[in-house]
Amino acid sequence: MLEIKNIHKSFGKNEILKGVDLKIDKGDVVVILGPSGSGKTTLLRCINFLERADQGTASFGELNVDLKTASKKDILAIRKKTAFVFQNYNLFNNKTALENVAEGLIIGRKIPKAEAYEISKKALDKVGLSEKYDSYPSQLSGGQQQRVGIARAVALNPDIILFDEPTSALDPELVGEVLQVMKDIAKEGTTMLVVTHEMGFAKDVANKVIFMDGGNIVEEGTPHEIFVTPKEERTQRFLRRVLPGEFDFDI
């Protein structure tokens, strides 16, 4: 469904992505793991043109796009197939939960307001916020705000949802409610590409796990292959650090 080839991205002299290839099939839940600065978020942002890649191509079904030279029409076509869930919610503080979800439908998709509101209500219901249509972000917890962000993505009915560390800004006690919503969406067959530090989610929900470091994909495989029988020494060291005492790899 989505195939990325040879993505390169630098900021000044700092090379963040060094030729990344990635293939995602319909219905996949792909989790990207890796240390800070490994290029995970930049990869997501290049896919959705929140950053312009220096090199690389993206194939989205029959749509083939050069990521460096893509036209506005190409970018719009890609964005219509994707939705992005941000680390820090990115909600409009002066709009209610319902208005935040409906905004992209009305402005971006040109859907009539009444229809957009009905779609938005169903999306908010799906993430457990049927009582919060008229609440402003300041009246919601961090977990609820992120669930509004997920509802906003779901309402767009995209081919794939990109999640950029969706729980990293949350207090620990609020992480579970957001992960549960993501699990529920995954069970419905939603295609997802998720950058996260939540190892439990990766093990339980993903069908493919990717480990990145230094702007490259070091290793990829099933959750069992990555968490139980990782082949690369760098992957093993990372898992020892983030899951101390849980594994004893032979290097």
Side-chain angles (χ1 to χ4, degrees):
M1 184 184 76
L2 171 63
E3 186 169 8
I4 302 296
K5 291 185 178 180
N6 200 32
I7 289 191
H8 289 258
K9 178 64 180 176
S10 297
F11 294 100
K13 295 182 178 180
N14 189 13
E15 191 176 12
I16 304 300
L17 298 176
K18 302 176 181 178
V20 173
D21 297 331
L22 176 64
K23 186 176 182 180
I24 301 173
D25 294 320
K26 185 175 177 61
D28 276 352
V29 177
V30 180
V31 169
I32 304 178
L33 307 175
S36 297
S38 59
K40 308 182 301 294
T41 289
T42 300
L43 176 60
L44 252 62
R45 293 177 66 85
C46 285
I47 291 172
N48 206 43
F49 288 97
L50 295 171
E51 299 286 353
R52 175 79 73 159
D54 300 324
Q55 184 179 337
T57 61
S59 299
F60 220 132
E62 296 182 355
L63 177 65
N64 299 300
V65 177
D66 185 301
L67 295 173
K68 182 179 180 180
T69 62
S71 65
K72 289 183 178 179
K73 181 180 178 181
D74 289 334
I75 293 171
L76 181 60
I78 290 284
R79 286 181 172 169
K80 282 186 175 181
K81 293 176 176 292
T82 63
F84 205 101
V85 176
F86 296 88
Q87 188 176 138
N88 294 309
Y89 327 137
N90 276 31
L91 302 180
F92 296 105
N93 290 325
N94 63 335
K95 294 183 181 297
T96 65
L98 184 60
E99 290 168 337
N100 265 285
V101 176
E103 184 78 3
L105 297 171
I106 297 168
I107 303 300
R109 301 290 173 86
K110 309 302 181 184
I111 293 175
K113 186 174 181 179
E115 183 182 348
Y117 273 36
E118 286 306 309
I119 294 170
S120 299
K121 287 176 181 178
K122 290 177 181 178
L124 286 166
D125 293 347
K126 184 174 288 190
V127 301
L129 293 176
S130 56
E131 304 299 320
K132 299 293 183 180
Y133 295 163
D134 298 323
S135 297
Y136 289 90
S138 62
Q139 298 170 315
L140 301 172
S141 69
Q144 289 170 333
Q145 290 183 63
Q146 189 59 290
R147 283 191 277 155
V148 173
I150 294 172
R152 178 175 56 192
V154 168
L156 294 170
N157 193 29
D159 290 347
I160 183 171
I161 301 180
L162 311 174
F163 292 83
D164 180 21
E165 299 192 22
T167 61
S168 65
L170 299 176
D171 292 334
E173 66 269 22
L174 301 177
V175 169
E177 67 186 63
V178 172
L179 290 178
Q180 186 58 55
V181 166
M182 293 172 64
K183 289 177 183 179
D184 292 342
I185 293 171
K187 288 177 182 176
E188 295 179 353
T190 304
T191 308
M192 299 163 63
L193 178 59
V194 185
V195 169
T196 186
H197 294 291
E198 298 295 336
M199 300 296 147
F201 178 86
K203 287 189 283 185
D204 295 343
V205 183
N207 67 300
K208 181 188 291 185
V209 177
I210 292 171
F211 173 66
M212 286 187 68
D213 189 35
N216 293 296
I217 291 178
V218 175
E219 187 168 0
E220 61 182 282
T222 66
H224 184 274
E225 288 169 337
I226 297 300
F227 288 104
V228 181
T229 59
K231 297 176 182 177
E232 299 296 327
E233 185 269 343
R234 180 64 187 94
T235 312
Q236 295 168 4
R237 284 193 286 116
F238 174 79
L239 291 173
R240 276 207 186 98
R241 181 170 61 82
V242 299
L243 298 169
E246 188 166 336
F247 299 105
D248 186 18
F249 302 117
D250 294 324
I251 299 177

